[in-house]
Amino acid sequence: MFGPDGRAVAHSQLTAFRQWCEDRPGYRKLERGARGASTALSSFLDKTVELRPGIIMPVFENDGLEVLAFMLDVEQDIIRGIGVCLNEEERRRAEGFRLERDRRRFVATRGQLRWVLASKLGISPSDVELEYGRLGKPHLSHRMPARDLRFSVSRSGDVAVIALSTRQEVGVDIEAVLPVPEADEIAALCLSASEYGSYTALGPEDRLEGFLRRWTRLEAISKALGCGLGQPLSWDERDWAVRRFVPKPGYIGTVVVRN
């Protein structure tokens, strides 16, 4: 774990990296390192699905864990149909986006989340009530049926995914496979010693994929824990089932659920 000085450096470097990534929709905070990390994954899911505009497609389902994927860049009439269930606060958030593209992608993501949750709860999408943790992690309101349903959302580029779990906390993250000039520097700040060693042992042709796989895993776990940038992130691999998936060619995803 980083001490105070390490946290300050990590925060500065990651803030600069986020500025570089600000036009990459779906970019989310990259958490600091994890204790006890391992390169071993509990499952390898490299099968891709064929996404179609306006259609939610299953990526993975097993033992109370489900991952769904959908495209964000769809026709305006589809966006309107998906977004009719948003509440006033969500509409204000949508209007706050500078780019029309980002506004539409937010509406598509939040609208589809409401439709998915509503189908699980047996209620109208507009009746889904969400609450937020101290660091902004969304969860179902205590007034909702099936309060044990956990969910996590991630979007990057023109793809979004929703992970659902009826057993334990869940976290998911996806990233478009794009160059990350500061990958080595960020890996040195964010990864545990063992993870960083395994990363640096990769050949140049495998570095980008190796970085993104570790990045999405840390991000997925941070979401499951409800952590944010600057918060301690320590975890034991034995506590989590970690699964890798490809929601669409050119993307990398990781979903985690507490054992």
Side-chain angles (χ1 to χ4, degrees), residues 178-199:
L178 298 171
V180 183
E182 296 89 347
D184 290 351
E185 186 175 2
I186 294 172
L189 292 169
C190 299
L191 301 180
S192 67
S194 60
E195 277 283 80
Y196 181 67
S198 66
Y199 167 74

Side-chain angles (χ1 to χ4, degrees), residues 140-151:
L140 288 171
S141 164
H142 66 280
R143 291 182 292 272
M144 294 288 94
R147 291 192 302 272
D148 60 342
L149 178 64
R150 279 87 166 185
F151 65 91

